[in-house]
Amino acid sequence: MGRPDIIEQNIADELSFEGFKEAVINDYKIAFQSRQASLIGRKEVLTGKAKFGIFGDGKEVPQVAMAKFFQPGDFYAGYYRDQTFAFATGVATVPEFFSQIYADPNPLNDPHSAGRQMNCHFSSPFIDKFGNALDLSVRKNFSAGMAPTAGHFPRAFGLAFASKLFRKIPDLHLNTAHSSQGNEVVFCTIGDASTSEGHFWETMNAAAVNQVPLAVFVWDDGYGISVPKELQTVKSSVSEALAGFEKSQYTNGILIYKVKGWDYASLCEVFEEGIRRARAEHIPVLFHVEELTQPQGHSTSGSHERYKTPERLQWEKAWDCLFKMRAWIIDNALADESYLVSIEEEIRGIIVSYRNQAWKLYEEPIQIQKAQALKVIGEIARQTSKSQEVLQLHRELSDNPVPFRRDIMVALEHTVAMVAEPLISAPASTYLSELFLENKRLYNTHLLHNDFEKIGEEYKPLLDFTEASPYLNGYEIINRYFDQLFAENPLVVAFGEDLGKIGDVNQGFAGLQQKHGSDRIFDTGIRELTILGQGIGLSMRGLRPIAEIQYLDYLLFGLQVLSDDLATLHYRSAGQQIAPLIVRTRGHRLEGIWHSGSPMGLLINALKGLHLCVPRDMVQAVGFYNTLLEGKNPGVVIECLNGYRLKERMPENLISYKLPLGKPEVIRSGEDITVVSYGSTLRIISDAANTLQHLNISVELIDVQTLLPFDLYGIILESLKKTNRIIFIDEDVPGGATSFMFTEIIEKQGGYRWLDASPRVLCAKSHRPAYGSDGDYFSKPNAEEIIAIIKGIIAE
Ligand SMILES: Cc1ncc(C[n+]2csc(CCOP(=O)(O)OP(=O)(O)O)c2C)c(N)n1
Ligand SMILES: [Mg+2]
């Protein structure tokens, strides 16, 4: 008999070997199942059941390895190749994968996007249906994917930066629902070719400078669709190109690992070490996963035989990671051939049944609609004088075995249009209205959290002034406000270029870093894109960031993430995720081409899904900050660049007064003409209105206050009903925000009915504003122009 402790050790080894074997076989099963899903998924497109497919075949093995180290509380930000990771972490199931490829709009079937996203764009819930934060520290969190390659990198940086703040700021340690003291790692994937994007480099630099727990996995299959990596990356290797970023013992930087994508054992080893260090030490890490393949080519849109050589195609077959893992399992006697064959056979059958299940779920409600529509149309055909024509519509729908929802609508619409007897066609109209509402709910909701709510309707913008309320410079008011805000709300952080040490270029934060700490008020590099991504990620993790863009003109550097990521987040995740980021910037007229821009039309078009606040002074700006901080939607506040040194009276209730959104304010009442504007232009219009008053022309001046949402209360229309004349004025280019406001009032609100003179717009010239006082005068609307045009309207 052996010694008991040695026997115990042997049993433990045996058990752990059994456990190891089981874990490996389980990984192989997930990888194999994922491959089958890819193969069948492609067929679903080729047979016409789905429109487009892009799959994770050839990337399965690194993803099952990666999933081993993804812990509850961690975050994922990735791209369309990661279905295996989603399956392995349990965040997605195979039936959900199929539901998404069919564009099933039922969130119970496709809980990731409710049919709004192409396949393989996953997400997990961050909020419950009432908008309350879920306990993210115990969940595996997938931030919603999107298609613009590398577009998720700035967000990934922000998600990782949150871990850093949760670790460093003691006041946040109690906030356990969002973090376990910053132990969360962000797993971020990207294809080799997409590392060519500036987003990748800006993010890597920001992560390296800030030392955040961001783990980047580059799936290197040598191609970006057809373009090989020689044309994508210097030295054809992203890890070599990043050599200067590498962390050494005494520097910041990133850890860089290279590993073969087909080598399961090495992948597990390397990922274990890298993730452990990222988590413990908050060091960013890059895994360059090489020698991956694309067994079915890039997507269903074309074949890779067009651009890969026969040798390359042959190599891809031989080095397919799934094939290599299988061989490794057999070589190491973890399972034999016949066992693997039996589980593969079983999985093939299961995947087919998952596909059938998802298809049935997708199709059933549509077949019910089809049957109901046929019943209604058939009944109408029996009663109408247009029986033959209606029967033809009936036949067309009936012969369509798998109609879309739109085909049912079209059949009903055409029936109603065809039949002149309204009483007979009434059942079709009734059913149409029902379906219209249903489809609106499925496809047109969740642009904003609480889509149809009037935000802050109940807020009474009551300013509390006392005898002692002082007149201060605009920047001083903003500064006092931020001071109170940071004292009151521990979730608020603010950052941007020159915002920390000197307290922003206009002193809004002057002295506040010293008072509230450099973890909450801090400088960033000149990197607008990742400043905004930083804000997106922080706000998704429960903080309330104010990300500052130094001048409105430079918002364009970050517009892509605002538009593609932030503005679509709630919609594309079907209401499961929010990012209530506040973007603070300053704009409108000051000096020259790049310090007096007012591209509001551009923002209105790009930022549907955000609130766009355009205050005329700093007290009003404060009202918007308070409102946005109360809500769950993101917003941009554009302070007036030329307003910081103008005196305003500071109310006592700076920290508590809120402004409703979408509620214009009549700032001067008059009888003869309604003038609609916002921001810095209002002061010029006020001057013009004084002059016009001497000419007996009485101007009603309205500040729209917010461009998104826009006048939800019909306040401008009420004014127009009184004056019967209207002009929209701003500093944007022709066709910009003035055209937007014009359409809203004249067309959408029916303002044309109340006009006695033609409605007009006055905006800046098409070119950028020239430098200097004369440059401003001749580029932007001026008081004399305003007077002349209004006199003209009155004389009409
Ligand atoms: C910003 C942007 N540009 C172009 C595309 C079109 N596109 C989709 S995938 C792709 C290639 C990406 O290659 P890679 O990053 O290597 O990923 P892989 O598909 O090879 O895994 C391109 C050009 C896109 N989706 N987004
Ligand atoms: Mg590639």
Side-chain angles (χ1 to χ4, degrees):
M1 279 237 319
R3 273 171 43 197
D5 55 338
I6 293 180
I7 292 169
E8 241 170 57
Q9 183 59 46
N10 285 344
I11 292 171
D13 286 350
E14 186 102 326
L15 279 178
S16 70
F17 182 67
E18 280 307 312
F20 165 72
K21 240 171 52 173
E22 200 181 308
V24 173
I25 298 301
N26 195 43
D27 278 352
Y28 180 72
K29 281 185 183 170
I30 295 169
F32 187 84
Q33 142 179 313
S34 177
R35 176 66 59 91
Q36 291 310 304
S38 298
L39 297 175
I40 295 180
R42 186 178 174 87
K43 281 194 193 133
E44 295 306 275
V45 177
L46 301 184
T47 56
K49 279 162 76 187
K51 273 195 139 169
F52 172 79
I54 192 154
F55 305 105
D57 49 317
K59 318 284 187 293
E60 294 92 345
V61 174
Q63 292 183 26
V64 287
M66 168 189 176
K68 289 182 177 307
F69 309 104
F70 190 70
Q71 294 183 358
D74 285 345
F75 288 79
Y76 159 83
Y79 80 119
Y80 49 76
R81 293 279 181 230
D82 297 333
Q83 73 203 40
T84 315
F85 182 62
F87 299 151
T89 51
V91 170
T93 65
V94 179
E96 289 167 7
F97 161 96
F98 282 113
S99 293
Q100 197 173 46
I101 206 171
Y102 299 139
D104 189 330
N106 184 343
L108 297 174
N109 303 336
D110 167 17
H112 305 279
S113 71
R116 291 165 183 211
Q117 293 234 60
M118 281 176 171
N119 74 313
C120 287
H121 290 90
F122 303 107
S123 68
S124 63
F126 284 31
I127 54 170
D128 66 19
K129 63 179 175 194
F130 306 107
N132 301 315
L134 294 168
D135 185 349
L136 301 185
S137 68
V138 296
R139 307 175 75 95
K140 294 191 171 178
N141 305 297
F142 272 39
S143 60
M146 55 184 199
T149 59
H152 57 294
F153 261 61
R155 166 180 15 113
F157 168 58
L159 291 167
F161 194 87
S163 290
K164 186 179 163 106
L165 293 185
F166 280 117
R167 187 171 287 179
K168 281 178 73 182
I169 302 176
D171 279 356
L172 296 178
H173 289 175
L174 293 175
N175 196 330
T176 49
H178 281 103
S179 175
S180 305
Q181 302 199 6
N183 285 333
E184 306 77 21
V185 176
V186 177
F187 287 50
C188 177
T189 63
I190 188 166
D192 53 317
S194 300
T195 65
S196 307
E197 294 279 10
H199 291 48
F200 173 80
W201 294 96
E202 192 177 309
T203 299
M204 294 315 291
N205 182 55
V209 167
N210 287 284
Q211 295 290 278
V212 297
L214 177 69
V216 173
F217 300 78
V218 181
W219 305 143
D220 186 350
D221 58 15
Y223 289 85
I225 311 186
S226 65
V227 182
K229 64 180 169 186
E230 300 83 70
L231 296 180
Q232 300 279 2
T233 311
V234 58
K235 302 181 186 179
S236 302
S237 164
V238 71
S239 48
E240 282 186 41
L242 278 165
F245 284 55
E246 190 154 13
K247 182 176 166 58
S248 69
Q249 199 180 348
Y250 303 106
T251 67
N252 60 14
I254 61 179
L255 304 174
I256 298 178
Y257 296 90
K258 266 200 223 190
V259 59
K260 308 289 186 210
W262 44 263
D263 185 350
Y264 173 77
S266 299
L267 285 160
C268 291
E269 207 174 300
V270 165
F271 291 169
E272 190 280 327
E273 180 184 307
I275 298 297
R276 179 167 42 76
R277 291 198 61 190
R279 197 180 300 284
E281 301 169 57
H282 276 190
I283 307 173
V285 43
L286 177 117
F287 302 107
H288 183 187
V289 183
E290 297 181 292
E291 298 188 14
L292 288 169
T293 67
Q294 298 173 338
Q296 301 189 105
H298 176 76
S299 71
T300 51
S301 295
S303 74
H304 53 160
E305 283 80 10
R306 290 172 300 163
Y307 48 83
K308 288 180 185 163
T309 62
E311 294 74 37
R312 169 78 196 186
L313 290 166
Q314 197 49 44
W315 179 87
E316 290 203 7
K317 280 207 168 72
W319 294 84
D320 181 324
C321 64
L322 193 63
F323 175 80
K324 296 287 278 182
M325 183 179 182
R326 190 180 195 280
W328 178 83
I329 290 173
I330 294 172
D331 288 350
N332 286 280
L334 301 175
D336 60 20
E337 171 80 25
S338 64
Y339 178 67
L340 292 182
V341 168
S342 72
I343 56 175
E344 288 164 357
E345 214 34 60
E346 189 186 346
I347 289 172
R348 280 197 188 90
I350 292 173
I351 300 296
V352 168
S353 72
Y354 285 158
R355 178 203 60 188
N356 296 344
Q357 176 189 330
W359 179 252
K360 188 160 177 269
L361 287 170
Y362 163 75
E363 205 198 10
E364 232 162 34
I366 303 182
Q367 293 298 355
I368 291 171
Q369 287 186 8
K370 175 180 164 181
Q372 177 65 15
L374 286 175
K375 199 168 141 212
V376 168
I377 297 170
E379 195 58 40
I380 293 170
R382 266 189 289 285
Q383 297 173 34
T384 176
S385 56
K386 289 281 179 56
S387 162
Q388 282 314 310
E389 291 87 339
V390 174
L391 275 177
Q392 176 60 21
L393 292 170
H394 188 275
R395 216 166 7 253
E396 278 167 22
L397 181 59
S398 168
D399 289 351
N400 187 344
V402 194
F404 292 111
R405 286 166 200 267
R406 68 169 186 211
D407 297 325
I408 293 156
M409 298 291 282
V410 168
L412 288 163
E413 292 274 11
H414 285 194
T415 304
V416 173
M418 187 79 70
V419 175
E421 307 104 316
L423 276 181
I424 295 177
S425 66
S429 302
T430 308
Y431 193 39
L432 261 176
S433 322
E434 194 183 305
L435 292 181
F436 180 79
L437 282 181
E438 154 96 352
N439 291 328
K440 194 170 149 78
R441 184 179 60 77
L442 293 178
Y443 295 99
N444 309 124
T445 48
H446 301 304
L447 178 62
L448 292 161
H449 180 68
N450 287 343
D451 281 303
F452 307 110
E453 207 173 71
K454 285 184 174 163
I455 293 138
E457 193 175 10
E458 71 282 16
Y459 300 155
K460 301 270 175 292
L462 291 180
L463 294 169
D464 178 7
F465 292 115
T466 66
E467 294 277 294
S469 300
Y471 281 88
L472 298 174
N473 287 314
Y475 79 86
E476 292 170 308
I477 290 182
I478 281 282
N479 185 277
R480 301 235 178 143
Y481 166 66
F482 285 139
D483 190 13
Q484 292 177 30
L485 176 66
F486 274 75
E488 175 160 291
N489 189 341
L491 295 175
V492 180
V493 293
F495 48 92
E497 296 153 18
D498 305 291
L499 185 141
K501 192 163 187 170
I502 65 166
D504 92 38
V505 287
N506 292 94
Q507 302 180 53
F509 281 93
L512 301 187
Q513 185 183 63
Q514 291 85 328
K515 201 165 166 186
H516 300 286
S518 58
D519 293 329
R520 295 185 64 204
I521 296 172
F522 49 92
D523 286 320
T524 67
I526 305 178
R527 46 173 184 77
E528 288 76 13
L529 181 67
T530 48
I531 288 174
L532 295 171
Q534 202 165 350
I536 294 171
L538 291 175
S539 59
M540 290 181 78
R541 291 193 60 184
L543 295 167
R544 296 306 309 243
I546 299 175
E548 178 173 305
I549 298 298
Q550 201 162 74
Y551 296 100
L552 175 58
D553 299 81
Y554 307 130
L555 192 71
L556 264 66
F557 272 64
L559 192 61
Q560 187 272 328
V561 282
L562 286 191
S563 184
D564 284 334
D565 197 358
L566 185 60
T568 67
L569 180 73
H570 198 59
Y571 178 81
R572 74 179 193 268
S573 66
Q576 296 191 96
Q577 297 181 5
I578 50 170
L581 165 65
I582 296 178
V583 179
R584 176 191 188 216
T585 187
R586 49 189 74 89
H588 313 314
R589 63 177 76 205
L590 190 72
E591 291 299 341
I593 294 180
W594 285 287
H595 295 85
S596 50
S598 193
M600 305 313 302
L602 178 80
L603 300 188
I604 289 167
N605 286 327
L607 301 183
K608 302 276 195 280
L610 271 72
H611 298 311
L612 192 49
C613 306
V614 281
R616 64 182 181 272
D617 59 31
M618 301 307 155
V619 170
Q620 200 187 15
V622 166
F624 289 132
Y625 286 124
N626 284 331
T627 303
L628 291 174
L629 283 164
E630 191 81 354
K632 296 185 195 304
N633 289 301
V636 180
V637 179
I638 299 168
E639 296 169 13
C640 294
L641 247 175
N642 59 4
Y644 293 112
R645 296 200 171 267
L646 298 178
K647 294 273 189 264
E648 293 177 41
R649 194 163 183 213
M650 191 178 82
E652 304 299 313
N653 56 344
L654 210 48
I655 193 69
S656 59
Y657 114 92
K658 301 184 198 90
L659 282 171
L661 304 181
K663 192 165 196 175
E665 183 186 355
V666 179
I667 54 176
R668 176 186 186 116
S669 53
E671 304 299 325
D672 299 325
I673 184 163
T674 301
V675 180
V676 181
S677 189
Y678 57 88
S680 298
T681 313
L682 287 167
R683 272 197 297 280
I684 293 171
I685 302 171
S686 289
D687 291 346
N690 289 337
T691 307
L692 287 163
Q693 192 67 52
H694 295 304
L695 304 173
N696 277 336
I697 297 174
S698 148
V699 167
E700 177 136 308
L701 181 54
I702 301 186
D703 176 1
V704 303
Q705 303 210 71
T706 61
L707 286 163
L708 296 175
F710 187 81
D711 190 4
L712 302 172
Y713 299 84
I715 289 169
I716 299 170
L717 190 69
E718 282 310 307
S719 170
L720 179 57
K721 285 181 187 171
K722 177 174 68 170
T723 63
N724 308 112
R725 299 182 188 90
I726 194 163
I727 181 167
F728 302 89
I729 305 180
D730 76 357
E731 306 175 26
D732 196 2
V733 291
T738 46
S739 299
F740 167 77
M741 298 191 288
F742 185 98
T743 311
E744 289 287 319
I745 300 303
I746 303 301
E747 187 203 322
K748 286 199 194 158
Q749 297 193 13
Y752 68 91
R753 289 196 222 111
W754 304 92
L755 289 168
D756 284 348
S758 43
R760 300 291 294 271
V761 298
L762 176 63
C763 43
K765 302 287 183 291
S766 294
H767 55 75
R768 301 285 181 103
Y771 179 56
S773 300
D774 279 344
D776 173 73
Y777 188 85
F778 292 107
S779 303
K780 300 242 176 175
N782 57 57
E784 288 63 41
E785 267 182 296
I786 294 169
I787 292 164
I789 197 168
I790 289 180
K791 278 167 68 179
I793 297 171
I794 300 291
E796 248 185 54

